[in-house]
Amino acid sequence: MAKQEPQAPAPTLVILRRREVEARTGLGCSTIYDGIKAGTFPAPIQLGPQAVGWVESEINEWLAARVAARDTARKESKPRGQ
């Protein structure tokens, strides 16, 4: 009988509702949906006939990308020698 390797626990999937997404991102409802339409913001998942939610990790990745873009812009705008 072969010994089984322990399996890593599955990552916890956390779903955020719109108000939580607004609070975390600082964006309003219209801006969120405009971003979804433009393909620049994570799309929600359908939870029920009239309920949607966003995957927390996708929102965190979107926020991290905004921070990285800011930091890159700062580095590029600094004059040489500073």
Side-chain angles (χ1 to χ4, degrees):
M1 193 161 150
K3 186 176 179 182
Q4 284 188 330
E5 294 292 319
Q7 293 183 355
T12 303
L13 185 62
V14 177
I15 304 299
L16 305 174
R17 298 302 301 271
R18 193 194 79 238
R19 287 186 181 168
E20 294 171 289
V21 173
E22 289 176 4
R24 288 191 184 202
T25 63
L27 301 175
C29 183
S30 295
T31 305
I32 289 170
Y33 281 99
D34 287 345
I36 293 165
K37 186 175 180 181
T40 59
F41 193 81
I45 59 170
Q46 195 72 39
L47 300 174
Q50 296 183 4
V52 297
W54 283 259
V55 178
E56 180 184 43
S57 61
E58 292 176 359
I59 298 301
N60 290 341
E61 289 170 10
W62 183 87
L63 288 168
R66 303 291 71 74
V67 172
R70 178 206 59 196
D71 293 347
T72 299
R74 283 183 179 173
K75 288 178 185 176
E76 292 174 356
S77 68
K78 281 189 176 180
R80 290 187 180 241
Q82 287 190 354

